[in-house]
Amino acid sequence: MLNVKNLKAKIDGKEILKGLNIEVKPGEVHAIMGPNGSGKSTLSNVLAGRDNYDATDGTVMFEGKDLLTLLPEDRAREGIFLAFQYPVEIPGVSNLEFLKTSLECLHTYQKKPLLSAVEFMKLAREKCRLVDLDTGFLKRGVNEGFSGGEKKRNEIMQMLMLEPKLCLLDETDSGLDIDALKVVADGINQLRSPDRSFILITHYQRLLDYVQPDFVHVLADGKIIKSGGSELALELEEKGYSWLESGTEQSANPLKV
Amino acid sequence: MNNLQQITTDFSNEHTSQKNLWLQGIRDAASERLKALQLPTQKTEDWKYLKLEELLADEQLDVQSMQVRNSKSDDDIDELLSQSLIKDLNAYRLVFVNGVFVNGLSHLDSNPYSTLFSEANTAQQQLIVDHLDTSHNYYHDYFSSLNSAQLEDGLLIHIPEHCEVDKPFYIVNLTQGDQPKTNMMRLLIIAETGSKATIIEHEDAPLKHTSMVNTVIECFVNDKAHITHSRLQLDESVTSICNHRVKQGHHSTYQQHQISLASKLKRNDLTVSLQGEYASNDIRGSFYGRHQQTIDNHICMQHIAPNCSSNEVFRGLVDDQANAVFNGRIHIHPNAQKTLAELSNKNLLLSSTATINTKPELEIYADDVRCSHGATVGQINSEALFYLQSRGIPRVEAKRLLSLAFIAEIVEQLPHNSVREFVTQRSSSLLSSLHHEGER
Amino acid sequence: MSESNVIDERINSSYDAGFITDVEMQTFDPGLNENVIRKISAKKNEPEYMLEWRLKAYKQWLEMERPEWAQVNYPEIDFEAIAYYSSPKSQDDAPKSLAEVDPELLRTYEKLGIPLHEQEMLAGVAVDIVFDSVSIITTFKEKLAESGVIFCSLSEAIIEHPELIKKYLGSVVPVKDNYYAALNCSVFSDGSFVYIPKGVRCPMELSTYFRINEMNTGQFERTLIIADEGSYVSYLEGCTAPSRDENQLHGAVVELVALEGAQIKYSTVQNWYPGDENGKGGIYNFVTKRGICHTNAKISWTQVETGSAITWKYPSVILMGDNSVGEFYSVALTRNAQQADTGTKMIHLGRNTRSTIISKGISAGKGSNTYRGLVNISPKAEGARNFTQCDSLLIGDKCAAHTFPYIVSKNPSAIVEHEATTSKVSEDQLFLCQQRGIDPEKAVSMIVNGFCKSVFKELPMEFAVEAGKLLEISLEGAVG
C-alpha cells in the first residue's frame, strides 16, 4: 500500500528526515515511536503534503502512485487521513458543514454516490456516539472551544466518517485521560480491516496496550534505527530510548522520554 | 493675542538661553520647527477632546530663566517636601524642585549612572547630543519642540553594556511655590546592550501649589536591555504635558507602570517603537480624575520589526465633572509579521456628570499578526456593592474598596513593596472622598 | 500549493453584473447649477415646496467643505463633470404596469437575477426598481395598499403624500448634515418611499433594486421609510453597476423613522462595480444612512458590502426614545484596490436604550478596510447598553485593516463594551481542509463564510443565501 524509500525532508532548510524507509501492506498496523525531535511529526506532515515540508530525496509510493506529486487534497481523496496532533480551530464553520463538504469532495473524486442529507445526518450522529461526542458538537465550529480531548475525539470521528485507506495518527494519544484513550483506541480497532492500514505515531507505549501493532519502528534522528514486533514497544517503555541512541549520531537536543 | 501664540512667533529671538552652549544646536533646530507649528486645536484628531486654549489660558509656557528658590525658607520647605517622598526605598534618589536639582534631598553618592546635562563631561555631552530629539515624530509635536527650544538642563541616565544596576533610580519632581511658572523637564535614558535597570519617577506637589510642567522623556532600550519604568503622577495641582518616547532594540523588554491623578490638564503621550525583532513590552496604567479635572492619555504602539509583542492594560476611574480620554493605538507596519499585540482599557464612570472618551485603534498592514483590543465603560458592579453592604460595610466604603480593586491589577505590578504600599495608601485616601451619588 | 500562490492565482476578478443595457436614454449635460436643479424638479413635476427645499440645500452645499477624515484616498471629484439626471426615454409616460415597461429594461433585471414578472418573483417580495435617476416600476403596490402600506417611488410620494414628505423628509438627516447629504438634497432624482400604518405588520418583504447604467452619471437617490406606531417592516436594497473605466458617484441618503414600538429591519446587499484589479473604475459610494427610534422602537441595519471602489458609509441610529434598540450588522469585503471606511453611530439619548454592533471586515489583495464607529452615551441615557464586536480577517500580505471606534460615555449607569480582533486565514486551517479533501478555493470561502456567519443570520432568509453566494463570487475573484 505505502512504500517509503530513502525519504529525506527539510523544514526551513534544515534536514529532519535523513533517509527513511518503511513499507506498509494492506491491513497492517505500524507504530512509529521515538524521542522528541526525532522527526515523527515531520513524517506525517510530509506524507500528508503540508507546505514547507520539502521532500528532497527518496520516493513515496501509495497504491502505485507517486504521492509526493499530489496536492494535499488529492492525497486525502486517494484515501490518506491524517489525525492532527494539534487540530486547528475554524470559527464559524460548523463541523457538520465541514464534514459534509469533505465527504462530498471525497465521494465525488472516488466516483461514489453522494449521501442524501438524511443519510449524512444519520451517519454523523452514529459516529458521534461511537466516540462519545454529544451530537450538539456537530453544530459547533470546527474544534472551536473544544477541549484537548474533544479535539482528538473529533479527529477520530472524522476518520470514522471518511473511511480512509491509510490512517496516520500523529500523537493522537497525547494529553488524553484513560477514558478518552479507550475511545480513540476503540475507534481505531473498529476501522481495522484487511484492506485498511494504520501508522500510529506515538511517544508512549500506552496506546499500544489497546491497539496491538503488527510492527514497531523506532525513529531517531530522521531514520528508522530499529524495527520489531509489538514487544519492542514494551522494551522501549522499560528502558527509554537512550540505549538505542548510543549507536547513532549525537543529537543536538538531550533526549527526553 | 493668546500668550501661547506669542511665544511661537517671537520665541527664538528673546528667550534663547546662553547656558550650555553645546546644546545650542538642539535649541536652534527646535526653534526652527516651532515656527511652522501652532498650538494644537480640537480640529487636530489627537487633541479633539481638549479645549486646549481654554485650559492653558492662564499658563505661562515660556521659561524666563531657571526658577530661583527662596533661600531663606529652603531648609524648612525641604523638610516638608522630604515627608512626601517614598520611605524605605533603597534607591539612587534624584530630587528636583520646580525643575531644579536639589542636592540636599538627593542621594548622589556612588551613583555613576546619572548626570545633569549641565555637569556632563565631553563624552556624555556627545551622547546626549546624539540621542536628543532623534525619535521619529518629534518633528510635528508642538510641546516637545517647545521643550527642546528652551532646553537648558536635563537628566541623563546611562546604563553601560551588560550592567545590571543594583538598585532603582528614584527621580522625584516636586512643585513648590505659588507664582505661575512653567518647568521644562527633560529626561534621557539610555540602556546599552544587555543592561538592566529600574526607574521610578514620582511627580508630586505636596503643598498643592499650582504650576505647569512640560516634560519630555526619551528612552532608548537597546538590544537585550531590560527596563522597568514606573511613573507616579500624583501632582493634582499641576498642569502637565508629557511626551514620552521609547525605542526598543531586539530582544529588549520594557515594562511601564503609570499611576496618574488628573489635574486641570494632564496629557500623557507615550509612543513605543519596537524596532528590533523579538522585543516585547508591557504597559500598564491607571488614571483617576475628579472635580473638573482633565486627563488625556495617548498611547501609540508602533510595531516596526517582526516577531515582537506588546501588551497594554489601562484602567480609568472618572468622578465628579472630570473628563478622561484614552486613545490607544496599535500600528502594525507592513514588515511586522508574527506580531502579537493586545490592548485593554476598562473604565468606571463614577458620576453622572463625568465623561469618558475612549478610542482603541488598530491600524494593520501585515496579515500574519494577532491583534486585539477591548474597551469598556461601566459602573461599579451593583451586585458586588450589595454583597459588601450586606456584610455590614457602608456604601461609601464599599465603593472605595471596589474602586481600589478595579485598579489593583495595575498597582500590584509596581516594583518594590514600598512603592506599592505608598501608592495604595495614597489612592486609598483619595478614593475615600468618592462621589456619593451616581448609582441607582 | 502555497497559500499566497492560491491567493495570487485567484486575484483576477469577474464581476457578473458588469454589462451595459442598451436603451435610449435622456441624460442632462454634465454640470451643476441652480438651473439644473430647476430642470430636475420640473422634470418630475414637483410642487413648489420641493424646489425651494432643493435650492436652499444647494446654497448650503456650496458653502461646505469636502470631508477628508476617512481612511480613503481618491482624486478630487469634479462635480461639473457629472450628469445629474438620466432616465430611459420610455419612462416619459410613466408605465402603469409591467406590461408597459421597456422589455430591454426587464431583460436587464432578469440578467441580474431579479425577474420582475410577478408570478416568477421571489414569493412575498415587493420590488421598487430604480434605473439611473428614476424609479421604473414598483410591484405589488395594490396588494400592499390593501393593508394600508404605501410603497412607491419618492417622486410619486412628493406629489401624492406631501404631508408625510413635508413632515419627515430631512427630519433624520438634516440638509446640512454633511457634504454629500447636502448635495443629495439638492439633486436627488428618485428613490423609494415606504409608509407602514399603525399596528400593521407589512405582509411582505420590501426591496429596492438600484442600477447605475449611464456613463458619467451620478446616482443620487433618497429613501424614506416611516414605520408608524407598533408597525413592522423588513426592507432590502440591492445595487449593481456596469464595469466602466471611469469612476461614478453614488451619493444616497436613507432616512428611517421608527415611531413608538415600531420595528424597521433594513438590509443592504451592495455590489456596485468595484473597479478592476488595478483600481481603475468603480463606484464612489458616499452614503448617509440614519434612523431615529422613538420609545420602544427598534432599527436594525444589516449590510453586506462587496462592491464599490470606495465605500464611505455609516448607517446610524439615534436612540431617542426610552427602551429603544439599535443594531448594526456588517460584512465588508475589500479586494483589489477597493477601499472601505464604514461603520456606524449609535447615539444613546433615551433611558435603557440598547445597541449592538457586529462588524466583520475582510481585506484581500490590496484592499483597505476600516471600521469607524461611534457609541455616544448622553448624560440622560440611564441604563444604556452597548456591545460592539469588530473582527478583521486579512488575506494576503498587501492588504490593510483598521479599527477606529470612538466611545463617549457620560452616564455612569451605562455599560459600553467594545472588542476587536484580527486574524488571518491560517495555513493550518487551509491544510486541515485540504487534508480532508477540500480544495483551497472552497476552503477559503467556507472559512470566510464562517467568519461572517453572525451577520448573515441577520439577513432576511431569502437573501442570506444570496449574500453568501455573492461573497463567494467576490472571493472567487479576489482570494484563494
Side-chain angles (χ1 to χ4, degrees):
Chain A
M1 176 174 280
L2 180 75
N3 201 343
V4 180
K5 278 189 186 153
N6 190 33
L7 180 63
K8 295 183 182 171
K10 282 184 177 171
I11 310 170
D12 298 332
K14 193 179 169 218
E15 190 161 71
I16 306 289
L17 297 183
K18 302 176 179 174
L20 185 140
N21 295 292
I22 188 171
E23 190 179 359
V24 180
K25 296 207 171 77
E28 289 177 353
V29 176
H30 290 244
I32 296 181
M33 303 180 73
N36 286 334
S38 58
K40 299 194 301 288
S41 288
T42 303
L43 175 62
S44 62
N45 280 313
V46 169
L47 293 180
R50 197 185 192 110
D51 242 14
N52 301 328
Y53 286 75
D54 303 324
T56 50
D57 201 2
T59 55
V60 179
M61 300 302 285
F62 179 69
E63 299 205 302
K65 288 190 175 123
D66 181 359
L67 200 63
L68 297 176
T69 62
L70 296 180
L71 291 171
E73 58 268 37
D74 287 336
R75 299 184 197 197
R77 293 162 186 177
E78 286 289 342
I80 290 182
F81 179 92
L82 170 63
F84 287 81
Q85 184 179 4
Y86 304 109
V88 66
E89 300 189 7
I90 311 182
V93 177
S94 75
N95 278 294
L96 212 56
E97 197 181 338
F98 174 72
L99 266 174
K100 194 161 188 296
T101 312
S102 168
L103 204 62
E104 279 173 8
C105 286
L106 260 60
H107 286 179
T108 307
Y109 185 89
Q110 294 159 1
K111 303 201 167 57
K112 286 186 190 166
L114 299 185
L115 295 182
S116 73
V118 177
E119 290 167 326
F120 171 79
M121 276 310 296
K122 192 167 161 260
L123 191 68
R125 286 211 187 92
E126 180 195 319
K127 304 299 184 195
C128 267
R129 268 194 298 276
L130 284 174
V131 295
D132 205 18
L133 276 178
D134 189 285
T135 48
F137 274 88
L138 290 170
K139 290 191 180 152
R140 288 172 53 184
V142 175
N143 293 318
E144 197 180 355
F146 285 24
S147 73
E150 285 166 349
K151 282 181 182 172
K152 295 293 177 76
R153 277 186 278 161
N154 193 21
E155 294 291 290
I156 298 300
M157 187 268 176
Q158 291 175 20
M159 186 172 86
L160 293 170
M161 284 292 287
L162 302 179
E163 300 186 318
K165 292 178 189 157
L166 174 65
C167 308
L168 304 167
L169 288 88
D170 190 358
E171 306 223 5
T172 303
D173 54 337
S174 65
L176 294 184
D177 61 28
I178 193 70
D179 292 335
L181 188 71
K182 277 184 187 160
V183 168
V184 167
D186 286 351
I188 297 170
N189 287 327
Q190 191 169 5
L191 271 185
R192 283 184 81 155
S193 81
D195 50 7
R196 180 172 293 124
S197 314
F198 292 83
I199 297 177
L200 311 178
I201 290 170
T202 180
H203 194 82
Y204 301 105
Q205 192 267 340
R206 58 181 200 150
L207 176 65
L208 308 180
D209 287 343
Y210 301 95
V211 183
Q212 175 89 25
D214 301 308
F215 300 96
V216 174
H217 310 274
V218 179
L219 183 63
D221 197 27
K223 283 179 188 169
I224 298 219
I225 55 165
K226 194 171 174 64
S227 298
S230 55
E231 72 289 345
L232 179 57
L234 293 165
E235 202 173 345
L236 286 168
E237 180 79 355
E238 197 180 312
K239 297 187 186 171
Y241 291 104
S242 42
W243 61 283
L244 287 166
E245 194 62 22
S246 50
T248 66
E249 292 164 48
Q250 212 46 38
S251 165
N253 293 324
L255 300 172
K256 285 173 281 175
V257 177
Chain B
M1 190 191 224
N2 187 301
N3 65 12
L4 297 167
Q5 279 147 12
Q6 189 80 35
I7 300 165
T8 343
T9 44
D10 52 325
F11 174 76
S12 50
N13 313 329
E14 288 181 21
H15 299 283
T16 307
S17 166
Q18 293 307 307
K19 270 186 163 180
N20 297 321
L21 278 172
W22 55 278
L23 287 169
Q24 193 60 40
I26 304 265
R27 288 193 287 258
D28 287 348
S31 302
E32 200 53 39
R33 288 203 296 276
L34 266 183
K35 285 181 185 162
L37 292 170
Q38 281 184 342
L39 188 73
T41 66
Q42 285 185 285
K43 281 189 181 163
T44 316
E45 177 70 20
D46 280 347
W47 293 85
K48 67 181 287 181
Y49 298 108
L50 299 182
K51 291 189 170 70
L52 208 53
E53 285 211 21
E54 223 168 86
L55 287 164
L56 295 179
D58 305 330
E59 307 295 344
Q60 202 74 40
L61 271 190
D62 53 339
V63 192
Q64 303 303 330
S65 65
M66 271 292 172
Q67 303 299 328
V68 182
R69 303 175 69 223
N70 185 340
S71 57
K72 203 169 80 181
S73 58
D74 267 1
D75 287 349
D76 296 347
I77 290 170
D78 285 356
E79 173 60 27
L80 206 60
L81 292 177
S82 72
Q83 284 172 20
S84 64
L85 303 181
I86 304 174
K87 309 282 183 298
D88 315 318
L89 183 63
N90 180 20
Y92 295 115
R93 192 159 89 186
L94 302 148
V95 180
F96 295 78
V97 176
N98 300 338
V100 180
F101 185 69
V102 181
N103 233 323
L105 291 170
S106 305
H107 299 159
L108 261 185
D109 328 334
S110 71
N111 174 357
Y113 309 108
S114 69
T115 177
L116 295 174
F117 290 3
S118 52
E119 291 167 11
N121 61 33
T122 321
Q124 288 168 327
Q125 287 180 6
Q126 192 57 48
L127 196 67
I128 292 165
V129 171
D130 286 348
H131 283 83
L132 277 189
D133 280 355
T134 57
S135 304
H136 58 284
N137 48 1
Y138 260 95
Y139 213 77
H140 305 291
D141 186 79
Y142 177 82
F143 290 98
S144 55
S145 299
L146 199 60
N147 181 298
S148 295
Q150 302 177 72
L151 181 66
E152 290 184 333
D153 208 344
L155 178 66
L156 166 72
I157 293 183
H158 182 216
I159 325 285
E161 280 189 24
H162 304 294
C163 169
E164 198 167 316
V165 181
D166 54 340
K167 50 187 179 180
F169 297 93
Y170 178 37
I171 305 166
V172 188
N173 292 303
L174 299 174
T175 294
Q176 173 263 319
D178 242 347
Q179 57 286 58
K181 56 201 153 205
T182 296
N183 301 321
M184 298 287 170
M185 292 301 302
R186 191 81 184 210
L187 176 59
L188 175 62
I189 300 166
I190 303 168
E192 299 288 3
T193 304
S195 63
K196 194 173 178 183
T198 298
I199 294 144
I200 298 157
E201 280 188 81
H202 177 186
E203 291 158 20
D204 222 329
L207 304 174
K208 308 263 180 275
H209 288 150
T210 59
S211 97
M212 155 102 196
V213 181
N214 179 5
T215 307
V216 173
I217 302 170
E218 285 156 290
C219 193
F220 295 83
V221 187
N222 289 333
D223 301 345
K224 297 178 190 165
H226 304 283
I227 292 293
T228 300
H229 191 170
S230 305
R231 307 199 66 230
L232 317 177
Q233 297 186 298
L234 307 176
D235 43 356
E236 272 193 295
S237 57
V238 174
T239 296
S240 157
I241 289 174
C242 176
N243 272 285
H244 185 177
R245 319 275 170 180
V246 181
K247 270 191 183 182
Q248 285 190 255
H250 71 75
H251 293 88
S252 66
T253 64
Y254 179 75
Q255 268 186 298
Q256 184 182 297
H257 321 91
Q258 180 186 308
I259 308 287
S260 303
L261 299 181
S263 56
K264 185 170 146 202
L265 167 64
K266 198 154 279 175
R267 163 83 178 204
N268 286 314
D269 267 287
L270 170 65
T271 302
V272 184
S273 304
L274 295 133
Q275 298 191 324
E277 284 196 58
Y278 298 99
S280 68
N281 62 53
D282 188 21
I283 315 287
R284 284 162 195 263
S286 73
F287 51 90
Y288 174 59
R290 58 175 179 165
H291 307 322
Q292 282 93 38
Q293 291 171 340
T294 297
I295 182 153
D296 185 348
N297 292 291
H298 271 67
I299 321 289
C300 181
M301 193 57 70
Q302 297 278 357
H303 278 271
I304 294 159
N307 293 305
C308 293
S309 67
S310 64
N311 185 36
E312 297 161 72
V313 179
F314 275 79
R315 299 281 178 270
L317 292 165
V318 199
D319 202 355
D320 301 328
Q321 292 88 49
N323 177 19
V325 180
F326 178 83
N327 192 326
R329 179 190 191 85
I330 297 174
H331 186 148
I332 314 285
H333 292 249
N335 193 32
Q337 297 290 8
K338 308 276 180 200
T339 290
L340 268 179
E342 283 179 36
L343 181 153
S344 153
N345 169 234
K346 292 184 182 173
N347 305 284
L348 286 186
L349 208 47
L350 299 167
S351 118
S352 56
T353 42
T355 303
I356 173 88
N357 294 281
T358 171
K359 183 158 73 110
E361 300 177 33
L362 291 174
E363 198 165 341
I364 299 174
Y365 298 93
D367 65 328
D368 192 7
V369 299
R370 287 228 315 271
C371 304
S372 65
H373 67 212
T376 64
V377 182
Q379 61 182 333
I380 290 178
N381 182 331
S382 55
E383 275 175 47
L385 199 60
F386 178 70
Y387 184 83
L388 292 182
Q389 284 180 280
S390 75
R391 296 293 180 268
I393 300 167
R395 191 176 179 80
V396 174
E397 174 64 7
K399 278 182 81 175
R400 190 181 67 86
L401 286 174
L402 292 171
S403 300
L404 272 177
F406 184 71
I407 59 166
E409 193 181 338
I410 313 297
V411 177
E412 279 165 9
Q413 297 287 324
L414 286 166
H416 293 273
N417 246 331
S418 47
V419 179
R420 279 193 293 275
E421 272 165 30
F422 178 79
V423 169
T424 308
Q425 191 265 324
R426 279 288 287 271
S427 0
S428 184
S429 67
L430 254 181
L431 289 171
S432 61
S433 66
L434 267 185
H435 205 87
H436 285 227
E437 50 113 359
E439 83 284 337
R440 289 167 303 146
Chain C
M1 193 187 321
S2 84
E3 183 195 356
S4 54
N5 286 346
V6 174
I7 292 156
D8 287 348
E9 200 163 280
R10 310 192 56 203
I11 218 114
N12 300 312
S13 70
S14 67
Y15 179 71
D16 288 353
F19 62 88
I20 295 165
T21 306
D22 187 16
V23 288
E24 208 179 338
M25 301 293 289
Q26 45 179 352
T27 303
F28 284 12
D29 289 336
L32 182 56
N33 52 49
E34 273 197 25
N35 213 17
V36 169
I37 293 166
R38 283 177 200 281
K39 268 170 75 185
I40 293 173
S41 189
K43 193 87 197 161
K44 313 188 83 61
N45 299 318
E46 281 177 0
E48 188 61 24
Y49 80 89
M50 209 58 240
L51 177 62
E52 277 167 26
W53 197 72
R54 287 174 181 274
L55 290 173
K56 207 174 133 204
Y58 176 65
K59 285 200 186 88
Q60 287 175 326
W61 177 72
L62 286 174
E63 288 167 14
M64 294 171 81
E65 278 174 34
R66 195 171 71 116
E68 282 173 357
W69 40 262
Q71 196 89 354
V72 292
N73 294 307
Y74 57 96
E76 201 159 332
I77 297 168
D78 181 359
F79 290 96
E80 291 301 314
I82 296 171
Y84 289 85
Y85 187 86
S86 177
S87 82
K89 272 215 168 120
S90 53
Q91 286 300 112
D92 268 2
D93 311 304
K96 302 279 180 299
S97 72
L98 279 168
E100 293 173 29
V101 173
D102 185 337
E104 187 61 33
L105 288 173
L106 293 182
R107 268 195 293 280
T108 299
Y109 289 93
E110 262 160 45
K111 266 165 96 174
L112 292 169
I114 311 154
L116 293 176
H117 301 291
E118 297 201 0
Q119 68 274 21
E120 291 171 14
M121 283 192 289
L122 289 164
V125 181
V127 190
D128 183 20
I129 293 295
V130 177
F131 190 83
D132 286 334
S133 301
V134 293
S135 168
I136 303 295
I137 193 81
T138 310
T139 63
F140 285 119
K141 268 163 94 168
E142 292 74 20
K143 184 155 189 284
L144 289 166
E146 284 167 24
S147 29
V149 172
I150 305 169
F151 181 36
C152 63
S153 72
L154 192 63
S155 310
E156 192 181 325
I158 287 167
I159 296 164
E160 302 292 329
H161 307 284
E163 68 298 337
L164 288 171
I165 296 291
K166 278 181 189 165
K167 186 166 178 191
Y168 290 111
L169 195 72
S171 71
V172 187
V173 178
V175 173
K176 278 189 80 169
D177 189 78
N178 67 70
Y179 188 77
Y180 296 103
L183 177 63
N184 176 291
C185 290
S186 47
V187 301
F188 78 89
S189 47
D190 213 336
S192 300
F193 176 82
V194 176
Y195 173 78
I196 316 288
K198 269 185 200 174
V200 169
R201 190 178 169 90
C202 186
M204 58 178 79
E205 296 277 343
L206 305 184
S207 96
T208 300
Y209 196 88
F210 295 100
R211 173 77 176 169
I212 297 177
N213 188 61
E214 192 64 5
M215 213 188 296
N216 298 329
T217 309
Q219 189 174 54
F220 300 92
E221 88 280 357
R222 277 187 93 93
T223 299
L224 174 60
I225 298 178
I226 303 150
D228 212 329
E229 291 172 19
S231 66
Y232 170 87
V233 62
S234 169
Y235 177 95
L236 183 122
E237 61 170 2
C239 338
T240 57
S243 311
R244 294 188 187 279
D245 284 348
E246 302 78 25
N247 295 108
Q248 283 178 284
L249 181 63
H250 175 246
V253 170
V254 175
E255 296 177 284
L256 309 183
V257 180
L259 296 173
E260 190 171 334
Q263 283 190 35
I264 301 176
K265 192 171 170 65
Y266 193 106
S267 313
T268 303
V269 176
Q270 188 260 102
N271 187 24
W272 294 121
Y273 177 57
D276 69 9
E277 60 267 39
N278 300 314
K280 195 169 177 133
I283 302 289
Y284 289 167
N285 193 28
F286 295 97
V287 172
T288 307
K289 292 182 165 181
R290 193 175 304 152
I292 188 160
C293 275
H294 292 256
T295 308
N296 297 325
K298 176 176 171 182
I299 289 177
S300 302
W301 297 102
T302 305
Q303 57 174 30
V304 177
E305 308 273 314
T306 60
S308 295
I310 294 174
T311 301
W312 180 98
K313 176 177 165 186
Y314 315 90
S316 307
V317 184
I318 301 169
L319 297 157
M320 191 174 70
D322 293 351
N323 311 314
S324 58
V325 177
E327 293 175 338
F328 175 75
Y329 300 96
S330 169
V331 166
L333 170 75
T334 55
R335 56 179 171 131
N336 292 341
Q338 278 177 273
Q339 306 173 55
D341 193 305
T342 184
T344 183
K345 290 191 244 179
M346 293 289 173
I347 315 292
H348 290 256
L349 302 176
R351 297 162 69 97
N352 297 316
T353 45
R354 301 267 185 282
S355 64
T356 305
I357 299 169
I358 308 285
S359 163
K360 304 277 182 177
I362 303 151
S363 318
K366 286 171 284 178
S368 161
N369 208 323
T370 301
Y371 168 82
R372 186 184 303 277
L374 168 69
V375 174
N376 193 333
I377 311 282
S378 76
K380 287 180 183 155
E382 281 292 310
R385 296 281 181 277
N386 162 266
F387 175 76
T388 302
Q389 168 100 42
C390 295
D391 296 324
S392 305
L393 188 68
L394 292 99
I395 305 175
D397 56 5
K398 295 178 215 72
C399 57
H402 313 305
T403 314
F404 301 121
Y406 294 71
I407 300 163
V408 182
S409 181
K410 296 185 175 176
N411 187 301
S413 65
I415 295 177
V416 182
E417 286 176 89
H418 170 95
E419 285 171 18
T421 64
T422 160
S423 56
K424 61 178 288 201
V425 175
S426 78
E427 282 167 37
D428 284 352
Q429 291 174 333
L430 273 184
F431 184 60
L432 171 64
C433 293
Q434 280 181 285
Q435 214 301 305
R436 299 297 184 256
I438 302 165
D439 63 60
E441 222 168 80
K442 199 174 252 169
V444 168
S445 85
M446 205 162 81
I447 292 166
V448 170
N449 260 299
F451 175 75
C452 301
K453 190 166 275 177
S454 54
V455 172
F456 285 164
K457 75 175 176 29
E458 297 299 328
L459 283 171
M461 190 92 82
E462 296 86 336
F463 299 101
V465 181
E466 218 160 294
K469 276 192 198 139
L470 177 63
L471 201 65
E472 216 164 288
I473 291 166
S474 298
L475 282 166
E476 232 165 60
V479 289

